[in-house]
């Protein structure tokens, strides 16, 4: 009996206390760092400011809530924002964060509001898409053999509304509203490596493709063709995008640094992880 009490007092209890401390440190530090990392990496990826209102992390449930994500417009547009996301939910295996492949059961992006604005022969969505590397640039890039890979079972984009502001034409409305069909992508990252930056491009590209498809006959032909062409050419984002978010995570120390190491690796480019 005495031996059991000794084991309990000197082995079990210290481990439990250590676990509690790590969990608390991860909760206090992790939310802020994930938020800043998303903002920095997203801004670098898209070339416009990206902000997040709140991050809610549940370690035990393996879930991250992303609330109030906003993608700002390029300069020269009347509206301040291009995209506002109501809520994003990520269900993942916490243990897989420390492995080469991060296993994500579901990413659900719900209630996104896209505001498109026509300006001359272009528009705000096309401007951002045009800044992303094109297919031929990806083909010239040497394949990476190592690096963190995202394996996503399912990605859902639901309840997306689009408001398009067109150039004024006498006798016609200069505003068109669309509600996109649900977008579902499955088994991402199974055939080739999928980085966080590439995922951003896939999400924006999927929404743009939905606009081009459902806007046919409602939006000007040159706008629809321009968006469709930009989507077809969009490829993997440059590695510099992930390094910006990485800088934020490198500023923490101690238990908090170890706790967020897995999330930190999600923002690394494959070459950086060698």
């Amino acid at each position: 009996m005495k031996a059991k009490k000794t084991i309990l007092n000197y082995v079990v209890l210290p481990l439990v206390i250590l676990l509690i401390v790590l969990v608390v440190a991860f909760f206090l530090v992790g939310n802020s760092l994930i938020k800043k990392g998303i903002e920095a990496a997203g801004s670098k990826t898209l070339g416009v400011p990206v902000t997040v209102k709140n991050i809610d992390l549940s370690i035990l449930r393996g879930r991250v809530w992303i609330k109030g994500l906003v993608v700002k417009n390029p300069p020269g547009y009347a509206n301040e924002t291009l995209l506002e996301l109501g809520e994003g939910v990520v269900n993942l295996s916490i243990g897989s964060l420390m492995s080469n492949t991060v296993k994500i059961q579901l990413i659900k992006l719900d209630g996104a509001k896209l505001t498109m604005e026509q300006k001359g022969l272009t528009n705000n969505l096309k401007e951002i898409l045009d800044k992303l590397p094109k297919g031929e640039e990806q083909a010239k890039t040497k394949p990476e053999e190592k690096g963190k890979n995202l394996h996503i079972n399912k990605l859902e984009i639901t309840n997306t509304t689009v408001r398009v502001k067109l150039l004024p034409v006498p006798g016609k409305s200069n505003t068109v509203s669309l509600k996109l069909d649900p977008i579902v992508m499955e088994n991402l990252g199974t055939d080739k490596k999928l980085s966080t930056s590439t995922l951003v491009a896939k999400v924006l590209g999927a929404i743009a493709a939905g606009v081009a498809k459902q806007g046919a006959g409602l939006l000007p032909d040159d706008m629809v063709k321009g968006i469709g062409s930009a989507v077809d050419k969009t490829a993997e984002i440059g590695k510099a995008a992930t390094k910006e978010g990485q800088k934020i995570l490198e500023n923490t120390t101690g238990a908090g640094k170890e706790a967020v190491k897995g999330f930190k690796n999600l923002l690394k480019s494959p070459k950086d992880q060698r």
Side-chain angles (χ1 to χ4, degrees):
M1 187 69 177
K2 186 176 181 180
K4 290 183 179 180
K5 288 184 178 181
T6 301
I7 294 174
L8 179 63
N9 291 333
Y10 292 98
V11 180
V12 178
L13 287 180
L15 289 176
V16 171
I17 293 172
L18 176 60
L19 179 61
I20 292 174
V21 170
L22 289 176
V23 169
V24 171
F26 188 73
F27 178 78
L28 293 176
V29 180
N31 285 2
S32 176
L33 290 175
I34 295 169
K35 176 180 180 295
K36 291 179 180 178
I38 291 174
E39 290 175 339
S43 299
K44 192 70 175 181
T45 298
L46 301 179
V48 293
V50 175
T51 61
V52 177
K53 183 178 181 180
N54 186 43
I55 291 289
D56 189 2
L57 170 65
S58 174
I59 301 174
L60 297 180
R61 298 176 66 181
R63 183 173 295 178
V64 178
W65 286 269
I66 305 172
K67 300 178 181 179
L69 186 147
V70 174
V71 179
K72 299 293 183 68
N73 253 333
Y77 288 91
N79 200 55
E80 184 179 358
T81 63
L82 167 72
L83 179 70
E84 298 178 29
L85 176 64
E87 182 177 80
V89 180
V90 181
N91 293 342
L92 74 162
S93 170
I94 294 294
S96 71
L97 288 172
M98 305 310 296
S99 67
N100 291 329
T101 299
V102 178
K103 297 180 180 179
I104 300 174
Q105 290 80 32
L106 174 67
I107 297 178
K108 185 165 185 176
L109 308 177
D110 186 65
K113 296 179 181 179
L114 177 70
T115 302
M116 291 181 58
E117 186 178 340
Q118 191 175 20
K119 185 178 73 172
L121 299 177
T122 188
N123 61 78
N124 51 350
L125 177 59
K126 187 176 184 298
E127 271 197 35
I128 291 180
L129 291 173
D130 284 343
K131 292 178 182 177
L132 305 182
K134 307 302 183 287
E136 59 269 20
E137 296 175 17
Q138 184 184 30
K140 294 177 183 179
T141 302
K142 185 179 179 180
E144 302 285 355
E145 296 180 357
K146 297 181 180 180
K148 184 75 68 173
N149 179 49
L150 303 181
H151 182 187
I152 304 170
N153 290 347
K154 180 180 286 189
L155 190 155
E156 298 179 355
I157 307 174
T158 56
N159 297 314
T160 303
T161 56
V162 183
R163 186 166 177 256
V164 186
K165 298 180 179 179
L166 304 173
L167 296 176
V169 176
K172 292 186 178 181
S173 173
N174 64 346
T175 303
V176 176
S177 297
L178 304 170
K179 183 172 182 180
L180 303 187
D181 294 334
I183 299 170
V184 178
M185 292 181 275
E186 296 181 332
N187 297 321
L188 300 177
T190 55
D191 53 343
K192 58 182 179 180
K193 291 188 180 298
L194 177 69
S195 67
T196 307
S197 296
T198 310
L199 178 61
V200 171
K202 284 182 176 292
V203 170
L204 187 62
I207 293 176
V211 172
K213 177 182 177 181
Q214 293 181 234
L218 299 174
L219 302 176
D221 290 343
D222 57 342
M223 176 180 279
V224 173
K225 291 178 181 178
I227 295 172
S229 176
V231 170
D232 290 340
K233 293 179 181 179
T234 298
E236 187 170 350
I237 311 297
K239 297 180 181 61
T242 56
K243 293 181 181 178
E244 194 70 16
Q246 180 75 2
K247 294 176 185 177
I248 301 296
L249 299 178
E250 287 174 346
N251 291 331
T252 188
T253 57
K257 183 174 182 178
E258 293 301 317
V260 299
K261 185 176 180 181
F263 285 98
K264 174 179 172 181
N265 288 337
L266 289 179
L267 296 174
K268 286 185 177 180
S269 63
K271 189 174 182 180
D272 292 334
Q273 296 185 50
R274 289 181 174 182

